[in-house]
Amino acid sequence: YINFHSYSQLWMSPWGYTTSKPAQFKLQDDGSAKAVKALGAVFGTNYVHGNIGSTIYIASGNTVDWTFGTANITFSYAVELRDTGEYGFLLPEDQIVPTGKETLAGELALLEYIEGKVYA
């Protein structure tokens, strides 16, 4: 499950209000790292990855929490796209195609990673 937003971040939820990491954290985090590397390789956009609380702010009740904790979807991610705060959710037209290209590269890298873990 991938949830898209606008801001240069890729993260996973630590599930709920706890500061302890779930057992699958490393599995999720490694997938996130692969996606971030692929995203950045397209145009050099600087992305970071990690759990929501350490990359942006403490947040609870988000979709990633629900998909991981309730729907039991191990690979639950939220993506903030390439803006660094200047445009927010309203990226200029000239950033639409580059955003799509780098996001697709990240998704493909993540899917390849997941496939290797699920079907290995």
Side-chain angles (χ1 to χ4, degrees):
Y1 173 82
I2 299 176
N3 183 22
F4 291 93
H5 296 283
S6 177
Y7 208 72
S8 296
Q9 310 289 329
L10 177 64
W11 69 76
M12 295 87 50
S13 170
W15 178 242
Y17 291 88
T18 182
T19 57
S20 62
K21 296 174 181 167
Q24 300 91 350
F25 179 80
K26 179 158 176 37
L27 182 67
Q28 293 172 323
D29 192 58
D30 288 349
S32 180
K34 298 269 187 202
V36 165
K37 183 176 180 182
L39 283 160
V42 179
F43 296 109
T45 306
N46 184 30
Y47 284 82
V48 297
H49 73 97
N51 64 57
I52 293 170
S54 68
T55 57
I56 301 268
Y57 45 77
I58 300 296
S60 64
N62 58 59
T63 307
V64 178
D65 281 342
W66 186 87
T67 58
F68 180 79
T70 303
N72 200 29
I73 299 171
T74 298
F75 297 100
S76 298
Y77 298 90
V79 179
E80 297 277 330
L81 302 177
R82 70 192 340 246
D83 183 51
T84 57
E86 186 174 348
Y87 302 105
F89 292 101
L90 300 172
L91 287 177
E93 254 183 67
D94 65 346
Q95 290 191 30
I96 294 171
V97 171
T99 298
K101 287 181 179 180
E102 64 192 10
T103 302
L104 178 60
E107 286 181 21
L108 292 174
L110 180 59
L111 290 172
E112 185 177 295
Y113 171 81
I114 293 169
E115 181 180 47
K117 297 300 176 185
V118 173
Y119 300 108

